[in-house]
Amino acid sequence: ADDLRQRAVELRRVAAQIDAVRIDELIHWAGPDTWRSPGADACRVTLERDRQRLLHAADELRDGAWRLDRQADAADALAALRLLT
């Protein structure tokens, strides 16, 4: 159970690192106030797609951490039952 919880902590740590990526700032600086061209438009589309991927990845990591915590809880409950029998 402890190993599962430690893995959950690590997943949340990586999710927090992804959340800290300053892609919104890049999207702002790639805006039409900075430059206008087909290349600029493509850059903004790519950045927005990457932003969505990062958000999804962080959510997936947090979901995985939640599942690991539930597995750890189940392992603790099973261990407690074994002690009682």
Side-chain angles (χ1 to χ4, degrees):
D2 290 340
D3 181 54
L4 292 169
R5 284 192 179 88
Q6 185 55 44
R7 290 170 53 196
V9 166
E10 183 63 18
L11 290 180
R12 286 188 185 93
R13 185 188 66 76
V14 174
Q17 286 179 326
I18 290 172
D19 289 339
V21 171
R22 297 169 58 179
I23 197 162
D24 289 333
E25 188 174 325
L26 289 173
I27 292 170
H28 168 76
W29 286 111
D33 291 343
T34 303
W35 61 333
R36 294 172 198 226
S37 73
D41 295 340
C43 179
R44 282 189 296 278
V45 167
T46 299
L47 286 170
E48 185 57 41
R49 188 178 313 123
D50 291 344
R51 179 181 172 277
Q52 292 302 319
R53 286 180 182 154
L54 287 169
L55 291 171
H56 180 72
D59 286 344
E60 289 290 312
L61 288 167
R62 280 186 283 274
D63 287 346
W66 181 85
R67 285 190 301 275
L68 288 173
D69 282 335
R70 297 305 66 80
Q71 289 174 8
D73 292 345
D76 281 342
L78 183 59
L81 282 174
R82 286 182 180 154
L83 287 175
L84 294 174
T85 59

